[in-house]
Amino acid sequence: MEPGSYTLLVELAEPATVEFGARGAYDLDAGWYAYTGSAFGAGGLKRVERHRGLARGESDARHWHVDYLLGHPESRVAAVYVTEHEDVECETARALNDAARPIEGLGASDCDCETHLAYGAARETVEAVAAERHDRSFQQ
């Protein structure tokens, strides 16, 4: 698959306490979460399918912070937004954090951003930003 940047739109159907590995437990509200990442290594955007498989319960391996949210039984991936061959990860994460509520300390361990996970009570809050920042989307 091609390399690029992506944003996962994740619905959390019920409020939940999610354990994010070494980062600890976070009390999360029901609603919509946008996680932005990049995949420029081997396999490229194939990483997105790995995330979706974890959310479907096909795997339980957790390598990134978002995997802990995706592995929670009340979460589902509703849409995926991608941009091939371009690193828009931090720019997109900052725009999402400006439009929604940042969930600090998650998903930004390899950059200077505070977080790459944002929350919005309404889907439109995060979906509009993700759609604007990426070239295409896949609805689940």
Side-chain angles (χ1 to χ4, degrees):
M1 285 202 81
E2 301 297 327
S5 303
Y6 62 93
T7 297
L8 304 176
L9 183 63
V10 180
E11 180 184 23
L12 187 61
E14 299 289 332
T17 299
V18 178
E19 187 77 35
F20 285 90
R23 296 297 302 178
Y26 284 67
D27 292 326
L28 301 178
D29 294 328
W32 296 88
Y33 292 82
Y35 169 78
T36 304
S38 62
F40 285 93
L45 288 167
K46 186 174 183 179
R47 179 178 299 171
V48 170
E49 185 52 38
R50 188 206 156 281
H51 288 314
R52 291 184 348 187
L54 192 144
R56 290 188 301 262
E58 298 168 4
S59 169
D60 63 356
R62 285 151 172 82
H63 298 292
W64 293 275
H65 289 140
V66 71
D67 291 340
Y68 294 93
L69 174 59
L70 297 174
H72 191 279
E74 294 296 325
S75 73
R76 72 175 183 92
V77 176
V80 178
Y81 300 86
V82 299
T83 299
E84 293 179 347
H85 302 289
E86 191 176 348
D87 187 354
V88 296
E89 178 183 14
C90 292
E91 170 189 320
T92 302
R94 283 190 294 272
L96 284 160
N97 290 334
D98 288 345
R101 186 176 83 212
I103 308 299
E104 293 187 21
L106 297 175
S109 56
D110 61 351
C111 66
D112 293 334
C113 298
E114 290 181 34
T115 184
H116 281 202
L117 183 65
Y119 166 79
R123 179 176 179 151
E124 296 78 19
T125 304
V126 291
E127 186 172 46
V129 175
E132 177 183 304
R133 299 288 173 161
H134 290 288
D135 295 335
R136 60 190 172 107
S137 67
F138 305 93
Q139 303 300 313
Q140 298 301 97

